[in-house]
Amino acid sequence: MAVNNIIYPHCLFRFSLFIKVSNRFAFATRLSSLPSSLRASSRSSSSSILCSFSRSSDMDSSAGLGLYPSHRTKTIHLVRHAQGFHNVAGEKDVNEYLSFDYFDAQLTSLGWKQVDNLRKHVQSCGLSKRIELVITSPLFRTMETAVGAFGGEGYSDGINVPPLMIANAGDCNRPAISSLNCPPFLAVELCREHLGVHPCDKRRSINEYRSLFPAIDFSLIEHDEDILWKPDIRETNAEVAERGMKFLKWLWTRKEKEIAVVSHSGFLFHALSAFGKDCHPSIKDEICKHFANCELRSFVLVDRSMIGSESSATNFPGGVPKGVDLPSDVAADKLPEKGFSIDQDVV
């Protein structure tokens, strides 16, 4: 089934009805740069993935607004992992990305400081209390970032629950991170970085990860060893973009309404670059630019198809108890014999 979705920066949405307003632009243009395989599937269906933006010439027209039922939206908070050792080495010499010295690279001490600052932000703005699920790429640096930013407070040995991360995992010199009073964590391979060639993007066995990150759920990962990473074949940008679309479609099937995703620069850039091709440059840049280490951006994912069939938790049907409720604006059509006019001042 095709998914008819659009993505907007979260800051463009206001009010509980999710009325989207711009003081200069309206937002509603068709996506134009899907991978060929996805374009083909879109042409075979009446629905497609949407998200882009067009200039409004009349600010008084409805073209300047976008109105969506709130139960057909999800808020997603996308995060790139904090600084890893491979980032530092690659900045000095790009060939270092080919070195197994940086296999499944972990966070630097600076990276952990970035995580601590992100944690302070998500707590101070109230985001930590709203997120229902944290999805992480199953690589060391993303899981460190995810549990450090969104995990519970300091772990206590007296509490009989598994920690999200054990103390000094991977010689990180960090205390254990509790799984109490925080959302569940789920590892998903679809949001991994470019696959192949670069050892920093190759993961360890799931059995090893489970011993280091006991409270992360790895149940969706089928193979213990990394069968996706190839030493001599690097995933193309188009393949990453297609995988990104597949991930977003899967994300829409989740029941949670507010989700954090901790992933990688290349994956996030190519997954989002298909959106906003016809939008104003400032909005396109907000969606499509590369993420800095430990950067968080919030978006609203909108379902414009029938795939989101669940009902609203806040809508109320009205008419309870049932009574006469003929609206005045249709009374002229319903009661023409009464000589009623819609031009009359009625309420």
Side-chain angles (χ1 to χ4, degrees), residues 3 18 24 67-68 77 82 96 104 106 161 176 185 189 192 200 238 242 267 278 283 307 330:
V3 181
F18 288 89
R24 292 180 61 194
L67 183 65
Y68 304 99
H77 306 281
E96 289 294 318
D104 192 17
Q106 298 171 220
V161 294
F185 285 67
E189 297 232 71
R192 283 177 60 176
C200 58
E242 184 173 356
F267 175 81
D278 300 322
I283 305 301
I307 193 170
V330 299

Side-chain angles (χ1 to χ4, degrees), residues 139-151:
L139 288 175
F140 217 110
R141 59 191 182 271
T142 43
M143 290 189 289
E144 287 179 311
T145 303
V147 301
F150 301 106

Side-chain angles (χ1 to χ4, degrees), residues 164 302 327:
L164 283 167
V302 179

Side-chain angles (χ1 to χ4, degrees), residues 61-80:
S61 71
S62 61
L65 300 175
L67 183 65
Y68 304 99
S70 62
H71 66 283
R72 293 191 178 274
T73 67
K74 287 185 189 294
T75 300
I76 55 176
H77 306 281
L78 304 182
V79 180
R80 180 192 175 191

Side-chain angles (χ1 to χ4, degrees), residues 26-265:
F27 312 99
T29 313
R30 187 166 297 274
L31 228 167
S32 60
S33 65
L34 286 174
S36 57
S37 60
L38 289 183
R39 288 201 301 270
S41 65
S42 294
R43 284 194 297 268
S44 65
S45 171
S46 60
S47 62
S48 62
I49 296 176
L50 300 179
C51 175
S52 44
F53 306 75
S54 61
R55 185 181 299 271
S56 172
S57 59
D58 182 3
M59 284 310 300
D60 293 329
S61 71
S62 61
L65 300 175
L67 183 65
Y68 304 99
S70 62
H71 66 283
R72 293 191 178 274
T73 67
K74 287 185 189 294
T75 300
I76 55 176
H77 306 281
L78 304 182
V79 180
R80 180 192 175 191
H81 64 80
Q83 184 193 74
F85 285 102
H86 67 304
N87 294 135
V88 177
E91 181 71 22
K92 298 176 181 177
D93 181 359
V94 69
N95 291 318
E96 289 294 318
Y97 285 119
L98 302 175
S99 172
F100 267 89
D101 290 343
Y102 303 102
F103 162 67
D104 192 17
Q106 298 171 220
L107 298 186
T108 64
S109 58
L110 176 65
W112 276 109
K113 291 178 182 177
Q114 294 172 339
V115 170
D116 291 339
N117 285 328
L118 176 58
R119 181 181 183 84
K120 292 176 184 176
H121 168 73
V122 299
Q123 290 182 335
S124 64
C125 72
L127 185 57
S128 60
K129 297 184 181 299
R130 302 200 308 267
I131 291 175
E132 302 169 62
L133 174 69
V134 178
I135 293 171
T136 178
S137 161
L139 288 175
F140 217 110
R141 59 191 182 271
T142 43
M143 290 189 289
E144 287 179 311
T145 303
V147 301
F150 301 106
E153 296 299 332
Y155 183 70
S156 173
D157 289 336
I159 301 176
N160 190 25
V161 294
L164 283 167
M165 186 181 80
I166 65 172
N168 199 33
D171 298 322
C172 67
N173 196 32
R174 300 282 294 196
I177 297 175
S178 175
S179 60
L180 290 172
N181 301 317
C182 65
F185 285 67
L186 180 64
V188 177
E189 297 232 71
L190 273 176
C191 61
R192 283 177 60 176
E193 183 59 292
H194 269 88
L195 297 169
V197 180
H198 294 177
C200 58
D201 300 326
K202 178 177 171 60
R203 69 165 172 82
R204 303 164 199 242
S205 72
I206 297 303
N207 282 334
E208 183 176 356
Y209 282 149
R210 282 196 172 107
S211 67
L212 299 169
F213 301 94
I216 292 182
D217 182 354
F218 295 96
S219 62
L220 294 184
I221 299 179
E222 297 181 9
H223 302 279
D224 182 46
E225 297 297 331
D226 187 0
I227 66 169
L228 300 176
W229 187 92
K230 308 296 181 184
D232 55 349
I233 302 175
R234 182 77 168 164
E235 204 175 15
T236 67
N237 293 344
E239 288 170 336
V240 177
E242 184 173 356
R243 179 159 56 87
M245 288 295 179
K246 186 176 180 180
F247 173 73
L248 290 174
K249 289 180 180 181
W250 171 82
L251 197 65
W252 186 257
T253 67
R254 299 290 310 186
K255 65 180 181 180
E256 297 86 2
K257 301 292 290 182
E258 193 151 356
I259 301 172
V261 178
V262 182
S263 186
H264 306 264
S265 173

